[in-house]
Amino acid sequence: MSDHQPGVAVVAGGAGFIGSHLCQALVARGHEVLCVDNLQTARPSNLQTLEGLPGFTFVEADIVRPLPEAVLGAAERVTRVYNLACAASPPQYQADPEHTMLTNVVGTHHLLRLAERAGARFLLTSTSEVYGDPEVHPQPEGYRGWVSCTGPRACYDEGKRAAEAMTFDYARMGRAEVRVARIFNTYGPNMSPDDGRVVSNLICQALADCEITVFGDGSQTRSFCYVDDMVRGLIALMESDIDGLEPVNLGNPVELTVGDLCDRVLALTGADARRVVFKPLPTDDPRRRRPDIGRARDLLGWTPRVGLEEGLAATCEWFGRELATPVEAARV
Amino acid sequence: MSDHQPGVAVVAGGAGFIGSHLCQALVARGHEVLCVDNLQTARPSNLQTLEGLPGFTFVEADIVRPLPEAVLGAAERVTRVYNLACAASPPQYQADPEHTMLTNVVGTHHLLRLAERAGARFLLTSTSEVYGDPEVHPQPEGYRGWVSCTGPRACYDEGKRAAEAMTFDYARMGRAEVRVARIFNTYGPNMSPDDGRVVSNLICQALADCEITVFGDGSQTRSFCYVDDMVRGLIALMESDIDGLEPVNLGNPVELTVGDLCDRVLALTGADARRVVFKPLPTDDPRRRRPDIGRARDLLGWTPRVGLEEGLAATCEWFGRELATPVEAARV
């Protein structure tokens, strides 16, 4: 990176869980980083860590509205636009489903226009949710999915599918160079204790000495990618010279049941298994989810490196510190 | 209808093919009609016919932008909002795919807000395209579809799926009473001669004494609903007291191949079969399409009444008159 000026990277959703790690990695690569976030679901402490970094600027803005001058005014120096903006856990994205849909469609539209104006490369973080409750396992990128467009998850799932459609149209029309990552479950430090996702729920409940909730009978499977691996994958995809007309799955293909995950968290935290309670599965909750990462491996030379033991231990340790502060603990 | 005041019906896309017939039917039922259209694909002559009707007002506006005062100012008298706005044939909706997506998502958002403000009932015309290239035949409403969200048809297909998602979220949140119709291929007078749909293409080419194009080998199937039946179905759905949380297919379940359709058009117009040429199928063109209309029949008592012979004859006759004017004929 030495004599090369990587320019300004805009990171929408940069104060969020994955976004905050990405901002740090981009600063480390020599980018100036313009983090655009509406702070809807971001943890303020993520931002505190970032604000001391050289070349890092935070702009509080909602990408549903036209981008502010603080972003548009920098357009001529922008070389990369990363879109990670959207509440990603069901309780959060279902709280205002209209805003979730508009974040994905209108927000992506605004950021694509910025990339077009800047001549910058654009990366959309899409999601494994575009596969819905998949009938094909593991899911390759060519699988079209089994998504309900009428149910309570549709604001997110269909919003992301619509954002992909618009992104690929920009590429087909030569308006911007694009990359689309379909990211699978990711975990690690900087997750919100209260975002309702299974890893943070289980760890926080185990640490907080309350009921530990497993939805369904725990036999549904997930695959969890440590956040450092995910960020490395996003940057590798953005910086690769691949033809951007196809999405690329990013995730960890090691599959385990939610019950197994729960057991590992109990072991790491020393929590008593008798605290586990089982509750009904939410509507449209996918039964199985595992990425086929053949494309990422072949095109980017990317595979996850951090094993589940190592990643879960680091995450439990981080949550342990976070929850030691009374304010955070009270929110769980 | 006599002493009942049905109030104002807003019809977005009311100058289009189906919209123009709907406006006429709503005026006949005693509605004041506010037709909102950007005239992107509407035939000016559709509008000429409508503008003489009592209680009919035309507002030229694009629903992607905030609704104009001419519509918002009438909100307190609006009782019905029909959204039929979107270019519907592939060459037209692919010409500006970003606008197609925004028409479906932002346009529907604006009209839902109008319905919420007015306390009006909202009807979205969704499409059989939400089923993509279906693996289930015929398609019931519970089938989740086989749609590519990365291809050139996605701006329309995914735009409609996103519009459905947003519409059902309004209903779930109690913000508006909604109805969603998934409409299958429809034909009849007021179609554009140059919109690229198979019925208008075949009839116009047959009448215009030029090459008659069949895409693929003609074995792909379609089901065609005459426009009068479709309009009757849309109004029946809007006025029904059903729980609006499920979409309703509207279309004619009589299935025929495109090759068979071509033969019928040749017979009706007297065109020479040697003029037929075969061209490659477009990307993602569905191979089969036929509605399961069990729900419409059970809930609304609706079934199509106009047979293909009768409907095609009326359509050929109408196109014959239209194409007799040199301006229209020159556009084919």
Side-chain angles (χ1 to χ4, degrees):
Chain A
M1 306 300 297
S2 55
D3 56 348
H4 174 63
Q5 281 294 327
V8 173
V10 171
V11 182
F17 161 43
I18 301 177
S20 60
H21 289 272
L22 178 64
C23 287
Q24 286 189 298
L26 292 171
V27 166
R29 289 173 64 91
H31 274 289
E32 281 183 63
V33 172
L34 260 180
C35 166
V36 181
D37 205 298
N38 66 355
L39 300 181
Q40 180 192 346
T41 61
R43 298 171 62 254
S45 55
N46 291 354
L47 207 52
Q48 284 162 17
T49 314
L50 291 168
E51 284 185 322
L53 297 175
F56 178 88
T57 306
F58 172 66
V59 179
E60 185 171 347
D62 190 326
I63 60 168
V64 165
R65 292 188 285 275
L67 295 175
E69 190 51 32
V71 178
L72 294 179
E76 64 181 31
R77 295 187 302 120
V78 172
T79 58
R80 298 290 183 263
V81 178
Y82 287 90
N83 183 10
L84 285 79
C86 192
S89 81
Q92 290 178 335
Y93 70 63
Q94 288 170 355
D96 185 350
E98 181 180 43
H99 186 260
T100 299
M101 178 60 77
L102 296 176
T103 298
N104 282 309
V105 176
V106 179
T108 298
H109 158 70
H110 287 146
L111 293 167
L112 280 165
R113 293 229 157 166
L114 171 66
E116 179 182 34
R117 177 172 162 177
R121 199 178 282 173
F122 174 86
L123 185 146
L124 173 71
T125 54
S126 182
T127 169
S128 58
E129 301 287 342
V130 301
Y131 302 120
D133 190 357
E135 304 149 296
V136 169
H137 199 77
Q139 294 83 51
E141 291 87 348
Y143 175 56
R144 295 188 178 185
W146 182 243
V147 176
S148 165
C149 65
T150 65
R153 297 173 76 100
C155 58
Y156 184 76
D157 303 0
E158 294 294 344
K160 288 288 188 183
R161 289 175 65 98
E164 284 200 16
M166 191 180 278
T167 301
F168 288 118
D169 278 326
Y170 262 71
R172 266 189 292 271
M173 301 189 88
R175 297 178 68 176
E177 227 191 310
V178 309
R179 305 286 184 266
V180 173
R182 290 181 176 163
I183 72 184
F184 285 65
N185 289 38
T186 304
Y187 72 102
N190 294 10
M191 296 185 90
S192 287
D194 57 354
D195 76 352
R197 281 187 277 199
V198 61
V199 173
S200 47
N201 270 1
L202 290 174
I203 295 177
C204 292
Q205 290 172 338
L207 291 172
D209 205 23
C210 58
E211 269 189 0
I212 299 170
T213 315
V214 171
F215 292 99
D217 61 1
S219 66
Q220 72 275 31
T221 70
R222 295 291 186 274
S223 306
F224 298 98
C225 184
Y226 192 65
V227 65
D228 290 358
D229 283 328
M230 180 56 66
V231 164
R232 192 166 46 79
L234 292 173
I235 294 175
L237 176 58
M238 178 66 108
E239 299 305 328
S240 69
D241 289 327
I242 64 165
D243 165 4
L245 279 170
E246 299 284 352
V248 177
N249 286 340
L250 292 178
N252 192 319
V254 175
E255 186 179 5
L256 78 169
T257 66
V258 169
D260 185 13
L261 174 70
C262 181
D263 291 343
R264 287 165 184 256
V265 169
L266 295 177
L268 277 164
T269 57
D272 187 336
R274 284 170 297 185
R275 286 163 49 204
V276 176
V277 295
F278 295 86
K279 294 193 177 168
L281 274 182
T283 305
D284 293 336
D285 196 59
R287 290 160 300 190
R288 299 185 73 184
R289 187 66 68 65
R290 176 157 69 95
D292 177 331
I293 60 165
R295 188 179 283 174
R297 197 177 49 230
D298 296 347
L299 296 180
L300 313 176
W302 176 87
T303 50
R305 293 177 192 155
V306 181
L308 196 64
E309 281 84 328
E310 184 188 349
L312 273 183
T315 308
C316 283
E317 192 189 319
W318 180 83
F319 269 118
R321 286 198 305 275
E322 283 294 297
L323 298 180
T325 69
V327 175
E328 290 286 344
R331 295 169 63 199
V332 176
Chain B
M1 304 300 300
S2 54
D3 57 351
H4 173 63
Q5 282 295 327
V8 172
V10 170
V11 183
F17 160 46
I18 300 176
S20 60
H21 289 272
L22 178 62
C23 287
Q24 286 188 300
L26 292 172
V27 166
R29 288 173 65 90
H31 274 288
E32 280 182 64
V33 172
L34 260 180
C35 165
V36 180
D37 204 299
N38 66 356
L39 301 181
Q40 180 193 347
T41 60
R43 298 172 63 254
S45 55
N46 292 353
L47 206 53
Q48 284 163 18
T49 315
L50 292 168
E51 284 184 323
L53 297 175
F56 178 88
T57 305
F58 173 65
V59 179
E60 185 171 345
D62 190 325
I63 60 169
V64 165
R65 290 187 285 274
L67 296 174
E69 190 49 36
V71 178
L72 293 179
E76 64 180 31
R77 295 188 302 119
V78 171
T79 58
R80 298 290 183 263
V81 178
Y82 287 90
N83 183 9
L84 285 79
C86 192
S89 80
Q92 290 178 335
Y93 70 63
Q94 289 169 354
D96 185 350
E98 182 179 41
H99 186 261
T100 300
M101 178 62 76
L102 296 176
T103 298
N104 282 309
V105 176
V106 179
T108 298
H109 157 70
H110 287 147
L111 292 167
L112 280 165
R113 294 229 156 166
L114 170 67
E116 180 181 35
R117 176 171 164 176
R121 197 177 285 175
F122 175 86
L123 184 146
L124 172 71
T125 54
S126 182
T127 168
S128 58
E129 301 287 343
V130 302
Y131 302 121
D133 190 356
E135 304 149 295
V136 169
H137 199 80
Q139 294 83 50
E141 290 87 348
Y143 174 56
R144 294 188 178 186
W146 181 243
V147 176
S148 165
C149 65
T150 66
R153 298 172 78 100
C155 58
Y156 185 76
D157 303 1
E158 294 294 342
K160 287 289 188 183
R161 289 174 67 98
E164 283 199 16
M166 190 179 280
T167 300
F168 289 118
D169 279 325
Y170 262 70
R172 266 188 293 269
M173 302 191 87
R175 298 178 66 176
E177 228 191 310
V178 310
R179 304 287 185 265
V180 173
R182 291 182 176 162
I183 71 182
F184 285 64
N185 288 39
T186 305
Y187 71 101
N190 295 9
M191 296 185 91
S192 287
D194 56 356
D195 76 352
R197 281 187 275 201
V198 61
V199 172
S200 46
N201 270 1
L202 290 174
I203 294 177
C204 291
Q205 290 172 339
L207 292 172
D209 205 23
C210 59
E211 268 188 0
I212 299 169
T213 314
V214 171
F215 291 99
D217 61 2
S219 66
Q220 73 274 32
T221 69
R222 295 291 185 273
S223 305
F224 298 98
C225 184
Y226 192 63
V227 65
D228 290 358
D229 283 328
M230 179 58 64
V231 165
R232 191 166 47 78
L234 291 172
I235 294 174
L237 176 58
M238 177 66 108
E239 299 305 328
S240 70
D241 288 327
I242 65 164
D243 165 4
L245 278 170
E246 299 285 351
V248 177
N249 286 338
L250 293 178
N252 193 318
V254 175
E255 186 179 4
L256 79 168
T257 66
V258 169
D260 184 14
L261 174 70
C262 181
D263 291 343
R264 287 165 185 255
V265 169
L266 294 177
L268 276 165
T269 58
D272 187 336
R274 284 170 298 185
R275 285 164 49 204
V276 176
V277 293
F278 293 87
K279 294 192 178 169
L281 273 183
T283 305
D284 294 334
D285 196 62
R287 289 160 302 193
R288 298 186 75 184
R289 188 66 68 64
R290 176 156 71 95
D292 177 331
I293 61 166
R295 188 178 284 174
R297 195 177 50 231
D298 295 348
L299 295 180
L300 314 176
W302 177 87
T303 49
R305 292 176 190 157
V306 181
L308 196 64
E309 280 84 329
E310 184 187 349
L312 274 182
T315 308
C316 284
E317 190 188 320
W318 180 83
F319 268 119
R321 286 197 306 275
E322 283 294 298
L323 298 179
T325 68
V327 175
E328 290 287 344
R331 294 170 64 200
V332 177

